Amino acid sequence: MSEPILSARDVVVKFSLRGQILTAVRGASLDLYEGKTVAIVGESGSGKSVFTKTFLGMLDANGWVDSGSIMFEGQDLAKFKTEKEWLTIRGKKIAMVFQDPMTALNPLKTVGSQIREVLELHQGLRGQEAKNRTIEILGQVGIDNPAMRYNQYPHEFSGGMRQRVVIAIAVACNPRILICDEPTTALDVTIQAQILELIRNLQKQLNLSIIYITHDLGVVANVADYVAVMYAGDVIEYGTVEEIFYDPRHPYTWALLSSLPQLGVKGQPLYSISGTPPSLFADIKGDAFAPRNPKALKIDFVYRPPYFRVSPTHVARTWLLDPRAPKVEPPEPIKAMRRKYERYAT
Amino acid sequence: MMTEGREVLLDVQNLRVQFKVRGSRKPFVAVKDVSFQIYKGETFGLVGETGSGKTTIGRAIVRINETAGGVIKFKGIKINGVIPKEVDRMVTQKIQMIFQDPMASLNERAKVDYIVSEGLYNTRNYKDEEDRKAKVSKALLEVGLLPEFASRFPHEFSGGQRQRIGIARALIMEPEFIIADEPISSLDVSIRAQVLNLLSSLQREKGLTYMFISHDLSVVRFIADRVAVIYKGEIVELAETEELFSHPLHPYTRALLSAIPIPDPVVERQKKVLVYDPSVHDYSKDKPKWVEIRPGHFVMANNAEIEQYEAMLN
């Protein structure tokens, strides 16, 4: 397999909050391959946004990367200290699309000037040249009549169109990596489908490598080539989209998929996970999911599992994959997905 | 009132809700000419996108929004417009609402005890303090919370627990009909299943009737017996859930169904997303009407479209 374009290893992120130290990311690792999409799935507080913010140097002032490495184009981003260093990467090589297009745009500036600003800053374009390029980009993200739209303000755009503008700003400098943080959560499903299609087309045209953050497993199935499942600040399972959906190995991935209404049987209770995720202030011992896992092993409460390799592309942090572990069957919905996949294959 | 042997609990006929627009004489019509019935004991799903008017319908039923036309009947009694005080009281007690955002819908400064009791205070539906406290404990237990949580404040709870408090607040009134407006949309995936299961088991135990308002079709497919699809203030299609999902007729319903992401990569990669273009309807001469195209399956269509839909069904 080719070398990853971005490779994060054992990243630990801490925050200082009212005199307490909070560990938001606890040694997470991730590989992103060129021209591919990796989806990061997890619940709120799982650290998925914080983890990706470290690739852009966008942590809040009270947070820092405590240890680990983030390799990109031969540089370790985790070692970056100054804003000057980050400006060579942020927006230029790695760009971000935010969740809420209502707040990501400046309501007092025309849409055209907000895209143009990026071109002037990063590519040194000026005057008519900058304007023409801006109009070209607006057309590229599927905005009709871009020359007229250039002079309009964000409030004159619908939610879906605004998200297209946010995407236009992100891709204006031909970045190599695009980080999309729940870009369709605030949108209706029909608009979401259009934005997902746009991102896919731009990926092909511009050879973008994409990190897509979401909690919606339906969207993951749509966009991802690879999937990283995060729980309590850690990537607990990583594999190709087929491996995660049809052959998941971590009990948390099992539980997450099984609790989807789409996999449930009508009239019967849905598979549900009891309890809530652990507090990030607490010192987590062993497997963070163990207290919510009714089938947890004794060792899960004592030692943190290492990554066990399932295939060349698939790893999972669970003691169940240790050769000494007892055989634990996945829940029924997971087995049903596996059977379905076997039928697709034949 | 009975239809085909099933008791109609809520009957909405030609409902119209409009809002004044500042600086304009023409009001904005949020709900136009909407008719549907909800049977006792069922879960009725109301699906639509932002601004479609689905929440407005729910709010009109509980009398938060005034109606501009049409009739809403609950157990055969008219409950919209000018109504006697006793009827208003009955609506307050028998029809309850569960809201979307459990972070915003609970009073931050009040203790759980007060939040859950508020409906009781308003209708004076308790004998004495002891009776009220007993009712609060019972409601909290029913939603899977501990009675001692009554002395705590909302910020001490997680999102899922807060939504349970919201459900307890509705249950304490001993309602017959609950309008759940996107009750799980703001919850995390692993918590959603817990709340859905709770709603289902409460329905079984108490014989409750639900109107489940949502934009998430996969949740509605799982929980609802019948589904109505609303587009720009009009219901365009209504059918039993499986009928609607296997034989969607209206182009908007078909576009909406095709857009739901399915958590199955193979299916998702082969899927074709349809886009709804309202100009496909030629309603200039042949006006659309609300027709029952198959028993229990209603669609908004004109004569030409009815023919086309019937061909699709056969």
Side-chain angles (χ1 to χ4, degrees):
Chain A
M1 207 191 310
S2 61
E3 282 292 297
I5 176 168
L6 182 128
S7 182
R9 282 287 165 275
D10 307 314
V11 174
V12 175
V13 180
K14 293 189 174 180
F15 287 89
S16 147
L17 209 66
R18 290 183 222 103
Q20 274 181 297
I21 301 288
L22 175 156
T23 311
V25 178
R26 300 179 305 118
S29 301
L30 185 80
D31 284 328
L32 173 64
Y33 295 95
E34 181 153 19
K36 301 287 182 199
T37 300
V38 59
I40 304 183
V41 240
E43 301 177 62
S44 36
S46 61
K48 53 191 193 304
S49 288
V50 170
F51 183 36
T52 46
K53 276 184 181 169
T54 62
F55 308 159
L56 282 165
M58 277 175 48
L59 288 177
D60 289 341
N62 61 341
W64 67 94
V65 178
D66 204 61
S67 61
S69 65
I70 304 162
M71 297 308 294
F72 172 70
E73 294 190 334
Q75 288 174 292
D76 184 358
L77 304 184
K79 301 240 153 38
F80 276 22
K81 291 273 178 307
T82 62
E83 199 58 9
K84 208 174 146 200
E85 285 172 300
W86 278 117
L87 283 178
T88 62
I89 301 288
R90 190 194 301 145
K92 218 172 189 170
K93 300 268 180 71
I94 306 181
M96 186 143 182
V97 176
F98 294 95
Q99 178 176 142
D100 190 355
M102 308 293 171
T103 50
L105 295 174
N106 184 340
L108 299 177
K109 287 168 117 184
T110 62
V111 160
S113 68
Q114 296 188 53
I115 300 173
R116 189 179 162 150
E117 185 181 79
V118 186
L119 294 172
E120 288 171 352
L121 187 73
H122 288 295
Q123 300 197 321
L125 296 184
R126 291 286 175 273
Q128 196 59 35
E129 199 188 356
K131 184 172 177 180
N132 290 345
R133 177 81 188 112
T134 303
I135 292 171
E136 193 184 321
I137 294 166
L138 278 172
Q140 203 172 14
V141 296
I143 287 175
D144 288 335
N145 203 351
M148 186 265 284
R149 290 294 215 169
Y150 180 91
N151 289 318
Q152 289 188 329
Y153 289 89
H155 76 263
E156 296 173 85
F157 286 64
S158 67
M161 285 296 153
R162 259 181 250 180
Q163 193 58 290
R164 286 177 193 263
V165 173
V166 175
I167 292 170
I169 294 173
V171 300
C173 295
N174 290 322
R176 298 199 59 200
I177 298 177
L178 189 65
I179 300 177
C180 303
D181 190 352
E182 307 244 14
T184 60
T185 307
L187 304 173
D188 279 321
V189 277
T190 50
I191 309 296
Q192 166 171 286
Q194 294 167 17
I195 297 290
L196 293 180
E197 197 186 337
L198 170 68
I199 293 176
R200 230 189 336 264
N201 289 343
L202 288 173
Q203 175 166 40
K204 267 188 229 133
Q205 283 170 26
L206 308 173
N207 192 28
L208 288 169
S209 309
I210 297 179
I211 299 174
Y212 198 105
I213 304 171
T214 181
H215 65 271
D216 185 333
L217 286 153
V219 172
V220 174
N222 183 296
V223 301
D225 299 299
Y226 293 86
V227 182
V229 183
M230 285 193 78
Y231 185 76
D234 191 12
V235 173
I236 51 101
E237 187 158 7
Y238 176 88
T240 65
V241 68
E242 285 87 5
E243 285 166 335
I244 298 297
F245 278 84
Y246 305 121
D247 188 24
R249 298 302 178 99
H250 197 286
Y252 176 67
T253 316
W254 289 350
L256 201 61
L257 283 165
S258 303
S259 62
L260 291 174
Q262 292 96 324
L263 304 190
V265 179
K266 212 167 169 155
Q268 287 174 23
L270 271 182
Y271 184 96
S272 81
I273 315 174
S274 58
T276 45
S279 155
L280 297 173
F281 288 106
D283 219 4
I284 295 168
K285 220 176 159 197
D287 185 331
F289 186 59
R292 297 174 78 189
N293 179 7
K295 289 183 183 154
L297 309 172
K298 263 188 201 148
I299 190 171
D300 282 332
F301 294 94
V302 189
Y303 296 108
R304 182 176 183 185
Y307 281 122
F308 288 93
R309 198 158 275 285
V310 183
S311 83
T313 49
H314 188 181
V315 290
R317 232 192 235 288
T318 168
W319 286 115
L320 288 181
L321 292 170
D322 190 285
R324 290 160 291 178
K327 194 162 162 45
V328 175
E329 288 282 314
E332 187 45 45
I334 299 297
K335 288 195 222 161
M337 280 295 276
R338 194 176 294 175
R339 285 196 297 272
K340 221 165 141 191
Y341 187 58
E342 281 159 8
R343 274 205 305 279
Y344 292 145
T346 55
Chain B
M1 205 164 63
M2 311 279 277
T3 307
E4 298 150 28
R6 297 183 74 180
E7 187 185 338
V8 173
L9 189 73
L10 188 87
D11 186 16
V12 176
Q13 291 302 331
N14 307 100
L15 177 68
R16 185 184 175 87
V17 182
Q18 54 193 35
F19 296 102
K20 277 193 196 123
V21 181
R22 223 169 54 179
S24 162
R25 273 192 196 192
K26 245 178 82 189
F28 170 73
V29 183
V31 177
K32 28 189 138 153
D33 210 22
V34 159
S35 303
F36 60 89
Q37 294 178 322
I38 298 181
Y39 300 123
K40 192 171 166 55
E42 78 168 338
T43 299
F44 183 85
L46 187 58
V47 176
E49 297 187 87
T50 317
S52 60
K54 54 189 194 301
T55 297
T56 308
I57 292 178
R59 290 166 62 98
I61 296 169
V62 292
R63 300 178 60 79
I64 299 174
N65 287 140
E66 260 180 59
T67 56
V71 178
I72 304 173
K73 282 183 180 165
F74 181 70
K75 296 171 124 185
I77 302 165
K78 179 173 173 267
I79 58 166
N80 66 323
V82 182
I83 55 169
K85 226 177 177 172
E86 315 88 74
V87 177
D88 186 65
R89 234 182 113 133
M90 176 196 73
V91 173
T92 313
Q93 193 227 318
K94 295 289 179 198
I95 307 180
Q96 286 290 313
M97 208 156 171
I98 300 170
F99 297 93
Q100 172 173 6
D101 186 355
M103 297 296 165
S105 62
L106 302 181
N107 183 347
E108 282 295 330
R109 289 161 175 257
K111 285 183 180 165
V112 170
D113 182 57
Y114 176 80
I115 293 171
V116 175
S117 307
E118 200 165 15
L120 290 182
Y121 287 131
N122 290 343
T123 54
R124 291 177 198 81
N125 197 0
Y126 57 101
K127 284 198 285 293
D128 47 31
E129 258 309 279
E130 205 180 320
D131 182 42
R132 186 188 62 80
K133 286 219 164 98
K135 282 184 167 174
V136 171
S137 301
K138 182 166 166 268
L140 288 176
L141 278 171
E142 275 173 345
V143 297
L145 297 174
L146 298 171
E148 51 264 39
F149 289 176
S151 58
R152 298 195 193 167
F153 287 97
H155 70 84
E156 298 175 64
F157 296 92
S158 66
Q161 286 175 318
R162 280 162 164 255
Q163 197 54 292
R164 285 170 194 268
I165 295 171
I167 297 171
R169 171 170 72 171
L171 281 183
I172 201 164
M173 301 294 285
E174 295 172 0
E176 289 180 36
F177 181 49
I178 292 184
I179 298 171
D181 189 357
E182 306 261 15
I184 60 163
S185 303
S186 64
L187 302 178
D188 262 320
V189 191
S190 78
I191 311 296
R192 285 182 177 187
Q194 293 176 15
V195 174
L196 279 181
N197 286 344
L198 173 67
L199 289 173
S200 299
S201 68
L202 287 171
Q203 180 170 43
R204 265 196 312 278
E205 284 161 26
K206 298 176 179 291
L208 291 169
T209 306
Y210 290 138
M211 179 158 114
F212 197 96
I213 300 173
S214 182
H215 69 278
D216 188 337
L217 281 140
S218 26
V219 174
V220 169
R221 183 178 197 169
F222 179 76
I223 198 157
D225 301 304
R226 291 192 303 143
V227 179
V229 178
I230 181 167
Y231 177 74
K232 291 200 171 159
E234 273 182 303
I235 294 187
V236 295
E237 193 160 0
L238 191 167
E240 289 199 355
T241 310
E242 278 320 300
E243 165 79 9
L244 188 88
F245 277 82
S246 38
H247 304 290
L249 295 174
H250 197 278
Y252 177 67
T253 314
R254 280 186 276 149
L256 198 60
L257 291 185
S258 78
I260 330 170
I262 310 289
D264 186 330
V266 172
V267 175
E268 198 58 22
R269 256 179 242 143
Q270 292 166 350
K271 139 179 130 171
K272 192 148 172 37
V273 175
L274 305 170
V275 176
Y276 176 54
D277 175 8
S279 67
V280 297
H281 307 285
D282 179 13
Y283 289 158
S284 53
K285 289 196 193 85
D286 193 356
K287 296 281 181 229
K289 48 186 187 275
W290 187 231
V291 284
E292 187 167 10
I293 198 152
R294 266 203 213 184
H297 190 161
F298 297 84
V299 64
M300 187 66 94
N302 63 14
N303 291 324
E305 286 170 337
I306 295 170
E307 243 172 68
Q308 186 197 334
Y309 296 160
E310 269 168 353
M312 281 167 68
L313 286 170
N314 294 321

